[in-house]
Amino acid sequence: MTISKKWQAAAAGALALALVGGGAGAANAAPGDPLNPQPDGTAAAGSKGGFFLFDGNTGEPADSNGTRVYAKDETIIGSASATDVDAEINAAASRPVTGATTFTGVYAFLAKKNSTDLMGGINTWNAYHVDAAAGPNGGTLQPALTLESFVDGPGGIADDIAAGGTYWYGIAYTNLNGVQVAGAVYREITIEPGTGNYTVTPSVLETEAPAWAPDFAGYTQNGSAMLRNGNVELQAGAGNAGKTVDVYAEGTAAPVHTGIVLDASGNAIVTSSIAAGTRLAIADTAAETVLAWATATGFVLAQPVAGDPNQVTIENPAEGETVVTIAAGAANANQTFTAVGWSNPTTIGQVTTDADGNAIVDAAVLGTGDHTIALVNANDEIVAWGTVTLVNGPNVSETDITVDVSTSNRFELSGVRTSVNLGTVRRGATTAPAALGAFTVIDDRDLLPGWTLNAEVSDFVNAEAGGDVIQKSALGLAPKQVGTAVPGISLGAAQSAGSGTYSALFAEGAAESSTLEAGTQFDADLTFAAPSKAKKGTYTSTLTLTLASK
């Protein structure tokens, strides 16, 4: 009995026909996505987006940058994503290739680079083959793009390999048995004459739109910006009251402040490290409009010293603490002030006093040591000030620990025996269990979406008895796991000889279950129930194991 194995995740099955796209449009493209359609003048002008290539043996990206050389017999499959081999091409509901147009067949094709040959389908293509790799959403999953597989057409691929040249190469969605093209996705391919080696021109991708910024060349001052102890006080005029603005500084690529709401007079105060003399634009970025221009002018508040008015006593906080209380008195109750610290003028932030005139200030920004802290009103007047000492808490040291976790990124089925002999059995009897033989499943991919391992059996044929057939249900198959069980991996139900059903689930790996690089081993007991009317002779069947990614 011959056994085969497959890498591809696509299950065999008939193509779902007469698929209808919904009215929903495609999602907005992001930078790095293929332009749809590919622009005029490019190597794939008019293609409904781009498609990407993967190594059919490993599932790794194999997409061309214009220099990667493929061999004519190299197993290549297609995808709608540069990073996901299972990204479905032309999936519902948006149908990015065909839109709302129905289609009844899917082809991989090679055509001359013009719309007439492209849209003529099998009547005008140089070479092609039917592709029935239906995806879960009715699109195409992992279409076969191996150059030697394009066997249909006037001379098949052989004539094009002999001649060489530049063509369009891709996937088409068709009606009328391949004659009418509803939509296609394709890339430019350049074939070397004789050898069939080829390169693929890259898709044209979306790029990041440049962010808007004001043009300082047209600067005319019509606002003001006053620097006060680490704050910038912006005045954009009463006509801009209540607007949300961003502040741009000349010579910077992005706003230095965003989301500032102007008050009823069109003003705002923002903590800032902008230097005096900096030219500023107060702008509505969404509308790409400058509301006011200004040059920042400096103002520095002098540090109070002993003998200056409004000095109060500030109690030193405990070791390691930084929050202090400044008693500004009842006359300053329920008001908002700016807290400023020295030696070098440092804006701590805005604080509001309580009903007794007390303000809570976190002076952590000043660091340890002796400091002066003051409460300053809108007229730059000090209403209360005092001195305080901040003391370090316990010494703490931190060490960042880094470790890189790697994977082999292997996903494969290996070690499957090529044949099993179940021995000799009388009519009406059942063979003793025979081992399929241990084989290995490895799932050590970077991502772990899970997998299924399916078993499919063909009918038994007796070549010596004129092709007599025994139904595949005569085979019994009982999956079993060899060695230590792996969490998340389960076996399928046993199939009884004489009443088995196929296809059948052999085993399954849940998402986030890993076999590690060593893999996990499986085996199965095989039995055969010979019908009472079976003719004498040797019967042969094929058991196919298919490992598929979820």
Side-chain angles (χ1 to χ4, degrees), residues 127-203:
Y128 59 88
H129 69 76
V130 174
D131 195 295
N137 296 306
T140 307
L141 190 67
Q142 298 185 352
L145 294 160
T146 306
L147 199 59
E148 281 192 341
S149 68
F150 289 64
V151 295
D152 299 316
I157 195 62
D159 288 352
D160 300 302
I161 291 176
T166 302
Y167 306 89
W168 278 339
Y169 158 87
I171 301 296
Y173 297 85
T174 69
N175 291 299
L176 302 179
N177 294 320
V179 173
Q180 182 185 75
V181 177
V185 60
Y186 47 92
R187 300 265 286 277
E188 181 185 74
I189 178 175
T190 300
I191 303 175
E192 182 181 74
T195 68
N197 293 336
Y198 64 99
T199 57
V200 182
T201 303
S203 290

Side-chain angles (χ1 to χ4, degrees), residues 14 44 51 56-57 88 113 153 164 180-181 192 201 215 232 287 298 341 403 431 454 467 475 536 544:
F51 74 100
N57 293 313
E88 193 174 343
K113 288 179 53 182
Q180 182 185 75
V181 177
E192 182 181 74
T201 303
D215 180 7
V232 58
V403 61
T431 63
N454 288 318
L475 181 70
K536 179 181 179 180
T544 301

